[in-house]
Amino acid sequence: MIGWQKHFDWDFLKINPKASYQYEPWGVKMTYSPDGIVKPVRAQCPIREVSDWDKVTELPINHPEFAAQLFSITRIRKALPKPFRLVMTVFNPISIAGDMVASDDILVNHLRESPDVVERALSAIQSTFIHLVAEMRNAGADGIFFAATQWASADRLTVAEVKRFGLAFDRPVWEAAGEDAFNVLHVCASNNYLREY
């Protein structure tokens, strides 16, 4: 990241961590390519049945996957001091939940069949990331690059569902960066709910 910044001289830097730091702590197993060029793939997902969502509990920010990211932020900040701006990549809670299942359809079916069960899991993810985002700021990030990924799209969820399972859990994570944060919102995919966000 430091090398990229020195080469490209961007106005701010989006720290691009391995995406799986956000869901591996809940038991997702990844397969990595030996050369690091091919994108890692999920080899094992912990959520198969609706009842599996009860295993998703709030995690401490000193979990090794989280600690590694905080360490990276600290190192990057030391090399790229303020006032230069750094933002750390964070997915919204439903995106993180979506990576705990083998397919998007599984999560959609679960949240429609047993919304309260899925909401409890989303709440645990949200609580974890509220604390983690605050610690990212302490480590030197100026804000977060908050990605709603494919879960802010009408191709996956209705507008009522994105409000209930997306936005309701997203805002507190976004706000955990603080009123002075330099946050970037990333709403991607076709048929997205940019207006709602």
Side-chain angles (χ1 to χ4, degrees):
M1 299 305 304
I2 296 163
W4 285 353
Q5 179 56 35
K6 290 181 176 177
H7 179 78
F8 292 105
D9 190 29
W10 291 310
D11 295 328
F12 66 91
L13 178 67
K14 171 199 178 289
I15 298 174
N16 195 42
K18 65 174 188 173
S20 60
Y21 91 85
Q22 299 170 95
Y23 42 87
E24 280 188 86
W26 279 283
V28 176
K29 305 294 183 195
M30 303 295 293
T31 299
Y32 294 92
S33 67
D35 58 12
I37 295 173
V38 178
K39 184 178 178 178
V41 294
R42 289 173 292 163
Q44 183 178 335
C45 297
I47 309 298
R48 294 177 185 84
E49 307 296 329
V50 169
S51 60
D52 291 334
W53 289 109
D54 288 329
K55 301 174 191 173
V56 179
T57 59
E58 183 176 350
L59 297 177
I61 60 170
N62 64 355
H63 185 284
E65 289 291 342
F66 301 150
Q69 301 309 318
L70 295 171
F71 178 72
S72 295
I73 294 169
T74 302
R75 292 284 305 273
I76 294 167
R77 171 50 75 203
K78 185 175 180 182
L80 303 171
K82 288 181 179 286
F84 184 75
R85 290 173 166 173
L86 305 173
V87 293
M88 180 58 173
T89 303
V90 173
F91 293 172
N92 67 341
I94 196 169
S95 295
I96 295 169
D99 283 309
M100 295 183 196
V101 294
S103 73
D104 292 350
D105 289 341
I106 293 172
L107 177 54
V108 171
N109 290 338
H110 287 181
L111 66 83
R112 289 176 180 165
E113 293 168 11
S114 301
D116 294 344
V117 176
V118 176
E119 280 182 319
R120 285 196 299 270
L122 292 173
S123 182
I125 297 166
Q126 177 198 61
S127 295
T128 300
F129 273 82
I130 285 171
H131 297 299
L132 186 57
V133 165
E135 200 56 36
M136 289 171 174
R137 289 296 312 273
N138 290 336
D142 294 289
I144 57 175
F145 179 93
F146 193 70
T149 69
Q150 72 270 23
W151 291 99
S153 169
D155 294 344
R156 298 290 187 295
L157 303 175
T158 67
V159 67
E161 288 168 341
V162 83
K163 287 178 179 178
R164 179 176 179 179
F165 301 104
L167 283 163
F169 290 95
D170 296 353
R171 285 191 181 103
V173 177
W174 174 275
E175 291 168 355
E179 291 184 5
D180 65 333
F182 176 72
N183 287 345
V184 178
L185 174 64
H186 178 64
V187 179
C188 61
S190 300
N191 304 313
N192 65 51
Y193 292 116
L194 181 61
R195 181 174 307 194
E196 286 73 16
Y197 272 83

